[in-house]
Amino acid sequence: MSRAVDLVIADVDGTLVTNDKRLTAATKQAVDALREAGIRFAITSGRPPRGMRMLSEPLAIDTPLAGFNGGVMMAPDFSRVVASHDLQDDVIGKAIDLLDDHGLDAWVYTHDRWLVRDAAAPHVDREQRTVAFEPETVERYDVSSLHGVVKIVGVTDDAERMKSCLAAAHKAFGDGVTADCSQPYYLDITSAHANKGAVVDAMSSELGIPRERIATIGDMPNDVAMFARSGLSIAMGNADDSVKRKADHATRGNEEDGFAEAMMRFVLEGRR
C-alpha cells in the first residue's frame, strides 16, 4: 500500500525528461493520472524559470515553478514572482573568483538574464537548447553592477577539478550559501535559502499540503535535500548509489520511463 500523497515534486533534467530533453508519452500520462487521482504536481530545477516554460503547458502545471533550485518561485502563468532568494552582493565576486581560481567557467543568472563571458565555451550550446533562450555575452563581470543574482554556475568536464572546487566552495561559504552539483559538470552556487529542501517547505506552505503528504523524485545530490523534507522520496535509476541510499525507493532510469513507473508503483498504487 502506497503512502498517502497529495503533491508530487519532480526534478526536471535526468528525472522528468530524457537525456535529449523530451517529455515522453508515458510521463505525460503519469502526470495526467496524478491529476485524475486528485494529486497535485510541481517541478523544481536548477534551470531558470524561463527554462521551465516549455514544460508548464504540456503538463498543465498549476503550481509555482521552482527555478534555480528554489532561488525563484514563479506563478505558473509567469505573471508574478512568488518568492526569491538572491545571493548577497559580497558573495557574488567571491564566488566568481573561486570558480576562476579552480579553472571553471562561470555563468551568472539573475531572475531573467543569463550572462556568460564566452558563448562558445563548453555546455553553453547545450544549456541554450535546454532552457530555450540565448545567453548575454559580456567581456567581464562587473561585480559592482551585478545585483539580483540568483545563481552562479561553475562549469567543467574535469571531475577532479569539480570535486576540488566543490570542497573549496563549501569551505569558503559555509552555511550561508548552498553549493551543489545539479549535473556532474555544473556546480550551482545559490543562497542557502535556495535549495530543494526549502522548495518542499515553500510548496507545503503555499499549497497548504503537509510535508509528510508530499512525494519527491530526483536523480542528483542536490535532490537529497528535498528527499529529507518530504514524506516519500524516490531516486531515479540513473542516480548515483549515494543518492539512491538517501531515498525510500528507486525506479528505472530517465531513458526507461522511470518517472512514470515510480508514479504508478509508489504513488498511485492503491489510489486508483
Side-chain angles (χ1 to χ4, degrees):
M1 188 75 174
S2 59
R3 300 184 197 178
V5 171
D6 292 326
L7 169 68
V8 172
I9 304 176
D11 168 56
V12 174
D13 298 293
T15 300
L16 195 64
V17 299
T18 61
N19 292 343
D20 60 359
K21 311 304 180 185
R22 289 184 302 106
L23 285 169
T24 68
T27 293
K28 295 176 185 177
Q29 290 165 5
V31 173
D32 286 342
L34 292 174
R35 190 168 291 111
E36 289 169 7
I39 300 171
R40 302 193 73 178
F41 180 69
I43 56 176
T44 182
S45 175
R47 297 185 187 195
R50 285 174 65 186
M52 302 163 77
R53 187 184 294 271
M54 74 287 291
L55 302 172
S56 59
E57 184 173 328
L59 296 177
I61 291 174
D62 61 357
T63 54
L65 300 164
F68 297 128
N69 301 322
V72 175
M73 289 182 63
M74 296 287 294
D77 62 358
F78 293 86
S79 61
R80 64 186 176 92
V81 174
V82 175
S84 68
H85 302 289
D86 299 346
L87 285 167
Q88 296 290 327
D89 288 347
D90 62 338
V91 170
I92 297 169
K94 188 175 181 181
I96 292 170
D97 288 344
L98 184 145
L99 296 175
D100 287 345
D101 289 345
H102 285 80
L104 276 67
D105 191 27
W107 300 347
V108 174
Y109 287 94
T110 68
H111 291 186
D112 57 1
R113 302 171 69 200
W114 169 28
L115 307 177
V116 302
R117 290 175 294 196
D118 181 4
H123 296 291
V124 172
D125 184 60
R126 175 201 294 266
E127 182 75 355
Q128 182 176 323
R129 292 194 304 271
T130 296
V131 302
F133 68 92
E134 296 181 5
E136 299 175 39
T137 304
V138 297
E139 186 175 343
R140 65 184 183 85
Y141 295 127
D142 181 1
V143 176
S144 64
S145 67
L146 287 175
H147 304 295
V149 173
V150 185
K151 184 173 77 165
I152 296 173
V153 181
V155 185
T156 183
D157 287 312
D158 187 318
E160 287 303 314
R161 187 173 288 180
M162 178 64 81
K163 181 179 178 180
S164 174
C165 190
L166 178 60
H170 288 165
K171 182 176 180 180
F173 299 117
D175 295 334
V177 169
T178 296
D180 260 324
C181 290
S182 59
Q183 295 291 337
Y185 40 82
Y186 288 161
L187 170 56
D188 293 352
I189 298 174
T190 59
S191 162
H193 299 291
N195 63 75
K196 290 187 177 179
V199 168
V200 175
D201 293 341
M203 290 286 186
S204 173
S205 176
E206 183 74 15
L207 303 176
I209 297 173
R211 289 190 298 105
E212 60 268 22
R213 296 181 72 92
I214 297 175
T216 54
I217 181 168
D219 70 308
M220 290 297 292
N222 68 339
D223 294 314
V224 169
M226 69 177 181
F227 291 174
R229 300 295 294 168
S230 59
L232 175 68
S233 56
I234 306 163
M236 296 296 292
N238 45 290
D240 187 82
D241 286 345
S242 62
V243 174
K244 292 177 182 176
R245 285 194 292 268
K246 298 293 185 179
D248 296 314
H249 302 288
T251 184
R252 294 197 299 257
N254 66 318
E255 291 289 299
E256 306 165 290
D257 281 321
F259 169 83
E261 179 197 49
M263 296 304 102
M264 299 305 172
R265 287 184 58 194
F266 306 124
V267 177
L268 289 166
E269 186 178 348
R271 292 284 292 261
R272 294 173 290 170

